Amino acid sequence: MPSTTTLSIPARALLLGVFTGARSATPLAVLALQHDRPSLHGAWQQWPVFRSPVGRGALVASAAGELVADKLPVTPSRLKPGALLGRVAAGAIAGLVIGSVGGSSVSRLQTAVLGGVGAVIGSYAGYLGRTALGWVSGLPDPVVALVGDAITVAGATAVVTAD
């Protein structure tokens, strides 16, 4: 008999934060793409940016733009204060979203904090992982970054769609 493991709301908030640390816009874009998924029913679906098809499209376009911009040599480090603060804010928002799913009894403050903390963890882990993989493999940084993109998109999608 196959077993299924369900992620708790706090675990989902933390993991979405981690993926936000890797690519700040991706988890929110994944949420926008999954807006109508019945298992994600919650107050977040009525927030203006998620309620509007234009808002959801802007979130997806922002994530696509980030995936491209990240490969440019002029893009600043994710660990610079401004970039890190933006990732923390995006992680907190992702945590708030997942905290509103299904009438969760978990505090929205708790899920927002977990999302923000996860973003810090993901920012440093992503930086260190990308640096180490580039050093060990000898691959050019943009190629290594594509590996990180694939992990982030797949991981955020898995966390959001975990039923």
Side-chain angles (χ1 to χ4, degrees):
M1 176 179 197
S3 69
T4 57
T5 303
T6 304
L7 290 173
S8 69
I9 293 294
R12 290 171 81 181
L14 181 67
L15 288 170
L16 282 179
V18 169
F19 291 119
T20 301
R23 292 285 173 270
S24 61
T26 296
L28 294 175
V30 170
L31 285 160
L33 290 169
Q34 296 296 324
H35 176 265
D36 297 325
R37 189 178 187 89
S39 63
L40 292 174
H41 180 74
W44 71 278
Q45 292 165 316
Q46 296 308 310
W47 297 357
V49 72
F50 288 109
R51 184 177 60 228
S52 159
V54 171
R56 292 190 306 271
L59 290 171
V60 172
S62 175
E66 182 184 22
L67 293 174
V68 172
D70 176 67
K71 312 312 176 280
L72 302 175
V74 297
T75 303
S77 168
R78 70 184 81 203
L79 302 180
K80 289 206 178 239
L84 187 58
L85 183 60
R87 289 170 192 272
V88 169
I93 292 168
L96 277 172
V97 166
I98 217 66
S100 83
V101 167
S104 171
S105 62
V106 179
S107 153
R108 302 245 176 98
L109 176 61
Q110 179 186 6
T111 58
V113 169
L114 286 168
V117 167
V120 173
I121 293 167
S123 294
Y124 281 92
Y127 172 80
L128 294 171
R130 184 167 166 175
T131 302
L133 183 57
W135 184 76
V136 168
S137 70
L139 293 170
D141 186 63
V143 174
V144 174
L146 288 172
V147 172
D149 293 346
I151 291 168
T152 301
V153 171
T157 301
V159 171
V160 167
T161 60
D163 293 335

